[in-house]
């Protein structure tokens, strides 16, 4: 058996569970991944991606030198492969990038730059990135994939309780009593969390209620499965609330002490009966009653959700309807109770925490609050822009209108992950300058003027913050490939050059030797992080923020005493139907999402051995629909929407409800986002990836 030359403790770079891993290294390869049995959050467990999906880091197509587009300056820009670029020195590439960015700032101002930071990169990488954008470029146009992800959960939870973080820790899950999973395919997208949930059911006798149109694996463990028509969640959850009020199953003490707006809310829902909800959602009224009673009468009950709730034109309303249930019953603020949006990317929590958002500095401190801004201005020694920046989708609109001239994209792949790719392509073709910083040449890099090669999680030190707000470390296990540099180093070097070109006499401060110094600067400016430092993380393995002081234990569950907004707010919401309903020409609903072995647009997983398991674009079709269409398992079909078309292979399966088809958005050659609609939730601005109308034709 191979013996490792060294074993390095780190954090899995895929999903928000944040599993702790031991990387076994020989000849500068990760030849095996193990999980320590005694460490949170995974206690020895890993899924297929953690175990077998790390080999992407040594894939031969890793970027090793800076690249410059050969036809730089030509418009409209075309996507090109690696041969369309030439290799350049760091000196040349950074100098040119700085020049281009400074030129746009001088000509039209910093607000003409749009930037995307990365939920794959570390807290420290993202802190430096937003410091550059705010402190040097002079704009708050910085956002990341959270906008396409839990934006509606954030918007809804902010209204209801004033905080959007998951209320419970992963450690509480094995002791659950009653819990609801809705719009989360947990066993494929948060696999290790799903094992604790299954344990709660199988060993602990917990009762699980699944609310999902798709026949996901967790339904096999459910006491109740409410299979609603896609897009009808508000009706189902509103009717559950109606039952709780009508049958007086609510918690009067909690309502009077901890909430406001109950009377008005209770009056507003009385006519929305389970029978009404059945007529809209197809879920039997009696099942809605049973679910309401099961949830309301539990000693402790919590709600877990994912993209089925958030990625909708009424995602904020969906979230509010879940929050109403928790506020009615007082199932929040105690162990095993709470509201839990399961965070997706390994560091999506941390990317937001570190200030990768257009309206807030690190720690959700508002950019338009003069006192907060003064604190950052004093520390960084530069004047800061008070105007809230643009979100991801607004930056696309601004690029379309010409208000944004340049993009800086670190560790994201919008040309696979944004809705309506035809439109996204049209927009990106027109930009004056695109700078991409990634570990691979992805579909977005193909449009770049300059690509800067970054190191991966296995080649650097830093921290990720997982779904339950636990700050954990990654550690250098391998040498950087070729000349690749750390993201925080690249952005710092770029920042200093841009400052020079702008003739700034004083730097905002990018002289760091190690990510620990960056963490310390961020913690100094961010009260909830002040008790967390690298030495403590080394000792304890991870700490849950908020952690305001070194002797504070950290906070595994939230809202014990009060909510950040004071009292919990009930919201009366109306059911609204989806944006683009099926019709004669486009008779099916298209839902998109993930499968276990895929990661988003495939940049990482298609360069891993995982690719052999599920290598081809597919569409799941219900057996009745397949019969009607005259297609069988493995028939190739063309799926068309009003925006585009792709070809995929049929999987006939009961997982898809009749009338709805499902396509994973993993394959560039059959990209689901050619079809999707960029209609958005009015508050959260999140697009609807779970509902648009399509036609299916056999080829
Ligand atoms: N293997 C793998 N794991 C991942 C990722 C990955 O790419 N691959 N990505 C990570 C990221 S960033 C994220 S955000 C998470 C996402 O994790 P999930 O949210 O679990 O992922 P999706 O596949 O988008 O699944 C959404 C679920 O919503 C359901 N759904 C569809 N329409 C509706 C509806 O109208 N109402 C309700 N209630 N449900 C509906 C679908 O049937 C599906 O079960 O996964 C993370 N984990
Ligand atoms: N149709 C459809 N579209 C969707 C969704 C859906 O459900 N359906 N879900 C949406 C959601 S929830 C999300 S989160 C987005 C995800 O969308 P993206 O964030 O755009 O997708 P990823 O493929 O995860 O992109 C990560 C990139 O980071 C790079 N990378 C990895 N590690 C590092 C690093 O250390 N440094 C740097 N610089 N780069 C690195 C990878 O090579 C890759 O190019 O997709 C959204 N799009
Ligand atoms: S559950 Fe998530 S963090 Fe854990 S091994 Fe799988 S992908 Fe990695
Ligand atoms: Mo996500």
């Amino acid at each position: 058996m191979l013996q490792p030359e060294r074993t390095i403790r780190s954090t899995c770079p895929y999903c928000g569970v944040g599993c702790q891993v031991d990387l076994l290294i020989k000849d500068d390869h990760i030849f095996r991944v193990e999980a320590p049995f005694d460490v949170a959050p995974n206690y020895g467990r890993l899924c297929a991606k953690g175990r077998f999906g790390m080999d992407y880091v040594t894939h031969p197509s890793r970027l090793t030198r800076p690249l410059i587009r050969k036809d730089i300056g030509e418009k409209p820009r075309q996507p090109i492969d690696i041969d369309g670029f030439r290799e350049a020195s760091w000196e040349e590439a950074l100098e040119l990038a700085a020049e281009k960015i400074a030129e746009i700032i001088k000509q039209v101002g910093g607000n003409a730059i749009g930037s995307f930071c990365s939920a794959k990169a570390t807290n420290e990488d993202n802190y430096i990135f937003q410091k550059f954008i705010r402190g040097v470029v002079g704009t708050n146009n910085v956002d990341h994939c959270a906008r396409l992800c839990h934006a509606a959960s954030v918007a809804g939870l902010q209204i209801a309780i004033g905080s959007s973080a998951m209320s419970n820790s992963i450690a509480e899950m094995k002791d659950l009593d009653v819990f609801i999973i809705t719009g989360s395919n947990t066993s494929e997208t948060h696999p290790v969390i799903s094992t604790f949930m299954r344990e709660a059911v199988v060993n602990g006798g917990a009762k699980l209620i699944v609310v999902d149109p798709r026949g996901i694996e967790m339904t096999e463990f459910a006491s109740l499965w409410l299979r609603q028509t896609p897009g009808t969640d508000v009706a189902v959850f509103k009717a559950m609330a109606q039952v709780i009020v009508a049958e007086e199953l609510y918690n009067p003490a909690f309502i009077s002490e901890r909430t406001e707006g109950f009377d008005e809310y209770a009056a507003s829902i009385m006519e929305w009966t389970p029978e009404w909800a059945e007529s809209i959602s197809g879920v039997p009224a009696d099942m809605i009653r049973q679910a309401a009673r099961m949830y309301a009468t539990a000693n402790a009950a919590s709600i877990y959700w994912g993209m089925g709730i958030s990625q909708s034109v009424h995602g904020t309303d969906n979230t509010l309807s879940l929050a109403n249930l928790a506020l009615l019953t007082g199932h929040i603020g105690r162990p095993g109770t709470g509201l839990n949006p399961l965070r997706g990317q390994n560091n999506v929590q941390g990317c937001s925490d570190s200030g990768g958002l257009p309206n807030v500095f690190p720690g959700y401190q508002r950019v338009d609050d003069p006192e907060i801004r003064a604190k950052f201005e004093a520390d960084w020694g530069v004047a800061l822009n008070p105007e809230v920046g643009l979100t991801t989708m607004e930056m696309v609109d601004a690029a379309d209108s010409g208000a944004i001239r340049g993009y800086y994209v670190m560790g994201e792949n919008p040309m696979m992950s944004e809705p309506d790719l035809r439109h996204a392509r049209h927009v990106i073709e027109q930009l004056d300058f695109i700078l991409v910083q990634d570990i691979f040449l992805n579909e977005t890099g193909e449009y770049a003027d300059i690509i800067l090669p970054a190191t991966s999680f296995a080649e650097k030190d830093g921290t990720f913050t997982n779904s339950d707000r636990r700050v954990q470390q990654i550690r250098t296990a391998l040498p950087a490939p070729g000349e690749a540099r750390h993201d925080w180093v690249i952005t710092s070097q770029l920042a200093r050059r841009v400052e020079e070109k702008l003739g700034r006499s004083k730097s905002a401060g990018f002289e760091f030797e190690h990510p620990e110094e960056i963490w310390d600067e961020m913690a100094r400016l961010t009260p909830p992080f002040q008790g967390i430092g690298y030495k403590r993380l080394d000792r304890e393995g991870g700490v849950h923020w908020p952690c305001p002081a070194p002797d504070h234990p950290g906070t595994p569950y939230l809202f014990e005493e009060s909510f950040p907004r004071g009292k919990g707010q009930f919201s009366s919401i109306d059911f609204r139907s989806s944006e683009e309903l099926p019709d004669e020409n486009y008779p099916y609903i298209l839902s998109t999402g993930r499968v276990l072995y895929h990661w988003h647009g495939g940049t990482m997983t298609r360069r891993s051995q995982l690719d052999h398991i599920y290598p081809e674009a597919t569409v799941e079709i219900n057996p009745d629909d397949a019969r009607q269409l005259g297609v069988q398992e493995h028939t190739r079909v063309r799926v068309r929407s009003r925006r585009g078309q792709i070809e995929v292979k049929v999987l006939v399966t009961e997982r898809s409800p009749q009338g709805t088809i499902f396509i994973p958005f993993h394959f560039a050659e059959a990209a689901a986002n050619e079809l999707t609609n960029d209609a958005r939730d009015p508050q959260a601005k999140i697009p609807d990836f779970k509902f648009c109308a399509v036609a299916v034709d056999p080829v």
Side-chain angles (χ1 to χ4, degrees), residues 181-190 197 210-212 216 218 304-309 340 342:
I181 296 178
T182 181
S184 155
N185 181 7
T186 325
S187 59
E188 299 201 58
T189 58
H190 294 86
M197 291 173 163
V210 171
V211 187
D212 201 299
I216 54 170
M218 289 310 281
Y304 295 88
W305 73 89
M307 294 303 105
I309 289 296
N340 297 289
L342 293 168

mmCIF file of all heavy atoms in Angstrom, residues 181-190 197 210-212 216 218 304-309 340 342:
data_model
loop_
_atom_site.group_PDB
_atom_site.id
_atom_site.type_symbol
_atom_site.label_atom_id
_atom_site.label_comp_id
_atom_site.label_asym_id
_atom_site.label_seq_id
_atom_site.Cartn_x
_atom_site.Cartn_y
_atom_site.Cartn_z
ATOM 1 N N ILE A 181 -37.990 19.106 5.094
ATOM 2 C CA ILE A 181 -37.009 19.409 4.046
ATOM 3 C C ILE A 181 -37.799 19.839 2.829
ATOM 4 O O ILE A 181 -38.675 19.102 2.365
ATOM 5 C CB ILE A 181 -36.163 18.177 3.685
ATOM 6 C CG1 ILE A 181 -35.319 17.710 4.875
ATOM 7 C CG2 ILE A 181 -35.265 18.484 2.500
ATOM 8 C CD1 ILE A 181 -34.497 16.454 4.571
ATOM 9 N N THR A 182 -37.505 21.022 2.327
ATOM 10 C CA THR A 182 -38.235 21.473 1.137
ATOM 11 C C THR A 182 -37.307 22.165 0.144
ATOM 12 O O THR A 182 -36.477 22.984 0.531
ATOM 13 C CB THR A 182 -39.422 22.386 1.524
ATOM 14 O OG1 THR A 182 -40.097 22.780 0.319
ATOM 15 C CG2 THR A 182 -39.004 23.618 2.301
ATOM 16 N N GLY A 183 -37.425 21.762 -1.114
ATOM 17 C CA GLY A 183 -36.590 22.371 -2.142
ATOM 18 C C GLY A 183 -35.121 22.106 -1.932
ATOM 19 O O GLY A 183 -34.276 22.883 -2.361
ATOM 20 N N SER A 184 -34.793 21.020 -1.257
ATOM 21 C CA SER A 184 -33.397 20.623 -1.076
ATOM 22 C C SER A 184 -33.278 19.138 -1.368
ATOM 23 O O SER A 184 -33.937 18.333 -0.724
ATOM 24 C CB SER A 184 -32.952 20.899 0.367
ATOM 25 O OG SER A 184 -31.874 20.043 0.728
ATOM 26 N N ASN A 185 -32.441 18.818 -2.357
ATOM 27 C CA ASN A 185 -32.178 17.411 -2.670
ATOM 28 C C ASN A 185 -30.984 16.980 -1.804
ATOM 29 O O ASN A 185 -29.897 16.699 -2.297
ATOM 30 C CB ASN A 185 -31.880 17.297 -4.170
ATOM 31 C CG ASN A 185 -31.616 15.880 -4.590
ATOM 32 O OD1 ASN A 185 -31.772 14.953 -3.800
ATOM 33 N ND2 ASN A 185 -31.200 15.713 -5.826
ATOM 34 N N THR A 186 -31.211 16.964 -0.499
ATOM 35 C CA THR A 186 -30.117 16.929 0.471
ATOM 36 C C THR A 186 -29.126 15.781 0.253
ATOM 37 O O THR A 186 -27.925 15.974 0.414
ATOM 38 C CB THR A 186 -30.690 16.832 1.899
ATOM 39 O OG1 THR A 186 -31.904 17.564 1.964
ATOM 40 C CG2 THR A 186 -29.719 17.396 2.916
ATOM 41 N N SER A 187 -29.609 14.605 -0.109
ATOM 42 C CA SER A 187 -28.675 13.471 -0.191
ATOM 43 C C SER A 187 -27.717 13.611 -1.369
ATOM 44 O O SER A 187 -26.671 12.974 -1.394
ATOM 45 C CB SER A 187 -29.430 12.151 -0.252
ATOM 46 O OG SER A 187 -30.262 12.148 -1.372
ATOM 47 N N GLU A 188 -28.044 14.455 -2.351
ATOM 48 C CA GLU A 188 -27.111 14.655 -3.460
ATOM 49 C C GLU A 188 -26.329 15.956 -3.342
ATOM 50 O O GLU A 188 -25.252 16.084 -3.913
ATOM 51 C CB GLU A 188 -27.865 14.642 -4.798
ATOM 52 C CG GLU A 188 -28.562 13.308 -5.037
ATOM 53 C CD GLU A 188 -28.879 13.062 -6.505
ATOM 54 O OE1 GLU A 188 -27.954 13.060 -7.329
ATOM 55 O OE2 GLU A 188 -30.068 12.879 -6.814
ATOM 56 N N THR A 189 -26.880 16.930 -2.619
ATOM 57 C CA THR A 189 -26.226 18.246 -2.599
ATOM 58 C C THR A 189 -25.560 18.596 -1.265
ATOM 59 O O THR A 189 -24.644 19.406 -1.226
ATOM 60 C CB THR A 189 -27.220 19.364 -2.968
ATOM 61 O OG1 THR A 189 -28.309 19.314 -2.050
ATOM 62 C CG2 THR A 189 -27.729 19.204 -4.367
ATOM 63 N N HIS A 190 -26.029 18.009 -0.179
ATOM 64 C CA HIS A 190 -25.363 18.137 1.119
ATOM 65 C C HIS A 190 -25.290 16.739 1.719
ATOM 66 O O HIS A 190 -25.870 16.459 2.774
ATOM 67 C CB HIS A 190 -26.131 19.090 2.037
ATOM 68 C CG HIS A 190 -26.145 20.504 1.549
ATOM 69 N ND1 HIS A 190 -27.063 20.988 0.654
ATOM 70 C CD2 HIS A 190 -25.314 21.553 1.814
ATOM 71 C CE1 HIS A 190 -26.811 22.252 0.386
ATOM 72 N NE2 HIS A 190 -25.748 22.623 1.079
ATOM 73 N N MET A 197 -29.260 13.392 9.061
ATOM 74 C CA MET A 197 -30.729 13.456 9.051
ATOM 75 C C MET A 197 -31.335 12.060 8.991
ATOM 76 O O MET A 197 -32.317 11.764 9.671
ATOM 77 C CB MET A 197 -31.203 14.270 7.846
ATOM 78 C CG MET A 197 -30.873 15.746 7.964
ATOM 79 S SD MET A 197 -31.280 16.558 6.414
ATOM 80 C CE MET A 197 -31.322 18.267 6.960
ATOM 81 N N VAL A 210 -41.168 15.762 3.764
ATOM 82 C CA VAL A 210 -40.537 16.303 2.565
ATOM 83 C C VAL A 210 -41.589 17.036 1.742
ATOM 84 O O VAL A 210 -42.683 16.504 1.528
ATOM 85 C CB VAL A 210 -39.888 15.183 1.717
ATOM 86 C CG1 VAL A 210 -39.427 15.720 0.364
ATOM 87 C CG2 VAL A 210 -38.706 14.562 2.450
ATOM 88 N N VAL A 211 -41.258 18.249 1.331
ATOM 89 C CA VAL A 211 -42.146 19.012 0.442
ATOM 90 C C VAL A 211 -41.345 19.298 -0.820
ATOM 91 O O VAL A 211 -40.476 20.184 -0.825
ATOM 92 C CB VAL A 211 -42.614 20.328 1.104
ATOM 93 C CG1 VAL A 211 -43.666 21.019 0.233
ATOM 94 C CG2 VAL A 211 -43.171 20.069 2.504
ATOM 95 N N ASP A 212 -41.561 18.525 -1.874
ATOM 96 C CA ASP A 212 -40.728 18.649 -3.082
ATOM 97 C C ASP A 212 -41.453 17.997 -4.259
ATOM 98 O O ASP A 212 -41.994 16.909 -4.112
ATOM 99 C CB ASP A 212 -39.378 17.945 -2.857
ATOM 100 C CG ASP A 212 -38.299 18.430 -3.804
ATOM 101 O OD1 ASP A 212 -38.479 18.273 -5.036
ATOM 102 O OD2 ASP A 212 -37.272 18.951 -3.325
ATOM 103 N N ILE A 216 -37.069 12.801 -4.738
ATOM 104 C CA ILE A 216 -35.682 12.730 -4.257
ATOM 105 C C ILE A 216 -35.534 11.608 -3.232
ATOM 106 O O ILE A 216 -36.517 11.145 -2.658
ATOM 107 C CB ILE A 216 -35.244 14.076 -3.635
ATOM 108 C CG1 ILE A 216 -36.238 14.510 -2.535
ATOM 109 C CG2 ILE A 216 -35.118 15.139 -4.703
ATOM 110 C CD1 ILE A 216 -35.791 15.679 -1.716
ATOM 111 N N MET A 218 -34.533 11.465 -0.218
ATOM 112 C CA MET A 218 -34.973 11.679 1.165
ATOM 113 C C MET A 218 -36.447 11.313 1.358
ATOM 114 O O MET A 218 -36.884 11.081 2.487
ATOM 115 C CB MET A 218 -34.724 13.133 1.610
ATOM 116 C CG MET A 218 -33.258 13.504 1.811
ATOM 117 S SD MET A 218 -32.289 12.378 2.845
ATOM 118 C CE MET A 218 -32.792 12.860 4.490
ATOM 119 N N TYR A 304 -35.459 22.848 6.875
ATOM 120 C CA TYR A 304 -34.261 22.923 6.034
ATOM 121 C C TYR A 304 -34.697 23.146 4.597
ATOM 122 O O TYR A 304 -35.628 22.490 4.137
ATOM 123 C CB TYR A 304 -33.465 21.619 6.135
ATOM 124 C CG TYR A 304 -32.920 21.401 7.520
ATOM 125 C CD1 TYR A 304 -33.679 20.746 8.489
ATOM 126 C CD2 TYR A 304 -31.676 21.894 7.869
ATOM 127 C CE1 TYR A 304 -33.193 20.585 9.780
ATOM 128 C CE2 TYR A 304 -31.182 21.742 9.153
ATOM 129 C CZ TYR A 304 -31.942 21.080 10.103
ATOM 130 O OH TYR A 304 -31.471 20.939 11.371
ATOM 131 N N TRP A 305 -34.016 24.073 3.912
ATOM 132 C CA TRP A 305 -34.394 24.264 2.514
ATOM 133 C C TRP A 305 -33.221 24.599 1.640
ATOM 134 O O TRP A 305 -32.131 24.926 2.104
ATOM 135 C CB TRP A 305 -35.509 25.293 2.387
ATOM 136 C CG TRP A 305 -35.136 26.726 2.604
ATOM 137 C CD1 TRP A 305 -34.688 27.605 1.658
ATOM 138 C CD2 TRP A 305 -35.237 27.471 3.836
ATOM 139 N NE1 TRP A 305 -34.503 28.833 2.226
ATOM 140 C CE2 TRP A 305 -34.836 28.789 3.550
ATOM 141 C CE3 TRP A 305 -35.633 27.137 5.131
ATOM 142 C CZ2 TRP A 305 -34.795 29.786 4.529
ATOM 143 C CZ3 TRP A 305 -35.596 28.128 6.099
ATOM 144 C CH2 TRP A 305 -35.190 29.429 5.802
ATOM 145 N N GLY A 306 -33.479 24.504 0.330
ATOM 146 C CA GLY A 306 -32.458 24.790 -0.675
ATOM 147 C C GLY A 306 -33.052 25.585 -1.814
ATOM 148 O O GLY A 306 -33.961 26.404 -1.625
ATOM 149 N N MET A 307 -32.556 25.283 -3.016
ATOM 150 C CA MET A 307 -32.845 26.126 -4.173
ATOM 151 C C MET A 307 -34.292 26.050 -4.648
ATOM 152 O O MET A 307 -34.773 26.945 -5.332
ATOM 153 C CB MET A 307 -31.895 25.765 -5.322
ATOM 154 C CG MET A 307 -30.448 26.084 -5.019
ATOM 155 S SD MET A 307 -30.231 27.816 -4.608
ATOM 156 C CE MET A 307 -30.014 27.784 -2.861
ATOM 157 N N GLY A 308 -35.007 24.982 -4.297
ATOM 158 C CA GLY A 308 -36.412 24.890 -4.711
ATOM 159 C C GLY A 308 -37.247 25.997 -4.093
ATOM 160 O O GLY A 308 -38.283 26.395 -4.645
ATOM 161 N N ILE A 309 -36.813 26.515 -2.961
ATOM 162 C CA ILE A 309 -37.494 27.630 -2.304
ATOM 163 C C ILE A 309 -36.957 28.955 -2.820
ATOM 164 O O ILE A 309 -37.700 29.879 -3.142
ATOM 165 C CB ILE A 309 -37.298 27.536 -0.765
ATOM 166 C CG1 ILE A 309 -38.109 26.358 -0.209
ATOM 167 C CG2 ILE A 309 -37.647 28.839 -0.055
ATOM 168 C CD1 ILE A 309 -39.614 26.471 -0.358
ATOM 169 N N ASN A 340 -33.363 26.974 8.390
ATOM 170 C CA ASN A 340 -32.042 26.619 7.896
ATOM 171 C C ASN A 340 -31.918 26.559 6.386
ATOM 172 O O ASN A 340 -32.168 25.524 5.772
ATOM 173 C CB ASN A 340 -31.636 25.261 8.480
ATOM 174 C CG ASN A 340 -31.533 25.306 9.978
ATOM 175 O OD1 ASN A 340 -30.627 25.908 10.527
ATOM 176 N ND2 ASN A 340 -32.500 24.697 10.654
ATOM 177 N N LEU A 342 -29.749 25.749 3.654
ATOM 178 C CA LEU A 342 -28.477 25.015 3.551
ATOM 179 C C LEU A 342 -27.604 25.716 2.520
ATOM 180 O O LEU A 342 -27.984 25.838 1.354
ATOM 181 C CB LEU A 342 -28.744 23.568 3.139
ATOM 182 C CG LEU A 342 -29.489 22.733 4.181
ATOM 183 C CD1 LEU A 342 -29.975 21.413 3.572
ATOM 184 C CD2 LEU A 342 -28.622 22.465 5.399
#
